[in-house]
Amino acid sequence: MAQNVYDNPEFYEGYEKIRNHPFCYNELIEFPVMQDLLPDIKDKDVLDVGCGMGKFIGYMLDFNPKSITGIDISNNMIQYAKSQIQSDKVTFHVTDALSYATNQKYDVIVSSLAFHYIEQYDTLIKHMYQLLNDNGVLLFSTEHPATTATKQEEIWHHEPNEYNHYKLDHYFDESERTIEWLNTNVVKYHRTIGTLINTLIDNQFVIERVQDTGNTRLSIEQWDEQKIQKVNNRPPFIVIRARKA
Ligand SMILES: C[S@@+](CC[C@H](N)C(=O)[O-])C[C@H]1O[C@@H](n2cnc3c(N)ncnc32)[C@H](O)[C@@H]1O
């Protein structure tokens, strides 16, 4: 069964603070790339998988979509998103992405940093394919395989005050990784770059863009040297845009 860590009250409280910080990784590293790669959504039906607190939905509303549906396994997340977004174009559902069933098809599916929580990647991609209209676009970010590979507790090899050796052990061991974050054991899944991309190709998607995320103009403006160095020495996320052939 899928883990629903965001409904754990202690974890959620910590996460909400991090996600609402204007200089968090999501805002400075991941979000700018998702914004860049978002296709034209004017008059389109859009699905946001693992929409969380609804940040991307709020952004997308400015581009006049026909509708946006946000789904998330966490009731906490959906309640927060509902409290932030007042638009009759938007509907929300609390559901596991793999169980989401609807007769509707979407022109664009976006998903920010949710796919690494889902074990059955091939099933997930097949499901996304079913939910898309012909020629529809799937745009998603996930933790970068270079980040999720290691099974060591200490993920950096430290020279004093430097973050120049990120560990890459167990790269080919595609399986669960449990990390401690906000005093909670969080389960995610490591896959290689080959698996991320070839699963899309095997399911009749055409790859349009693969972007390793690095520092952005915003992160360089807002962060200290040590944080910038960390991102220079390890891509935190990967963003992929693919089209249903
Ligand atoms: C790191 S948060 C990102 C939230 C949001 N997309 C953002 O960028 O702010 C990951 C989200 O994925 C959701 N999630 C995890 N597993 C899920 C699943 N199996 N089905 C649907 N949502 C899931 C979590 O509840 C959480 O809201």
Side-chain angles (χ1 to χ4, degrees), residues 131-200:
L131 289 169
L132 278 171
N133 283 319
D134 287 349
N135 217 29
V137 168
L138 171 63
L139 171 66
F140 70 95
S141 63
T142 187
E143 286 198 2
H144 199 289
T147 293
T148 51
T150 184
K151 287 187 165 179
Q152 297 189 40
E153 214 172 298
E154 177 49 80
I155 54 184
W156 291 93
H157 172 77
H158 286 284
E159 300 292 335
N161 297 322
E162 286 186 19
Y163 289 89
N164 52 2
H165 295 86
Y166 190 85
K167 294 176 185 168
L168 198 58
D169 55 281
H170 294 92
Y171 180 76
F172 288 103
D173 182 349
E174 299 188 285
S175 57
E176 185 178 311
R177 300 288 188 273
T178 302
I179 55 139
E180 206 198 304
W181 187 27
L182 299 167
N183 296 323
T184 309
N185 284 332
V186 179
V187 177
K188 55 193 181 179
Y189 296 91
H190 167 70
R191 316 178 233 273
T192 63
I193 290 176
T195 295
L196 282 178
I197 292 172
N198 291 330
T199 305
L200 288 161

Side-chain angles (χ1 to χ4, degrees), residues 102-114:
T102 173
N103 290 329
Q104 188 176 353
K105 299 251 185 196
Y106 299 92
D107 304 302
V108 176
I109 299 179
V110 299
S111 181
S112 274
L113 302 177

Side-chain angles (χ1 to χ4, degrees), residues 199-245:
T199 305
L200 288 161
I201 295 169
D202 291 347
N203 285 293
Q204 281 75 55
F205 277 97
V206 173
I207 309 290
E208 292 193 335
R209 196 81 189 158
V210 177
Q211 188 87 40
D212 305 289
T213 62
N215 278 298
T216 61
R217 182 181 52 76
L218 293 173
S219 65
I220 291 165
E221 275 170 17
Q222 303 299 343
W223 278 354
D224 63 26
E225 261 316 301
Q226 196 180 63
K227 272 187 118 168
I228 292 170
Q229 193 188 4
K230 271 180 149 177
V231 172
N232 278 341
N233 289 319
R234 168 208 62 156
F237 315 117
I238 190 166
V239 180
I240 298 175
R241 190 173 79 187
R243 191 174 290 273
K244 177 171 176 170

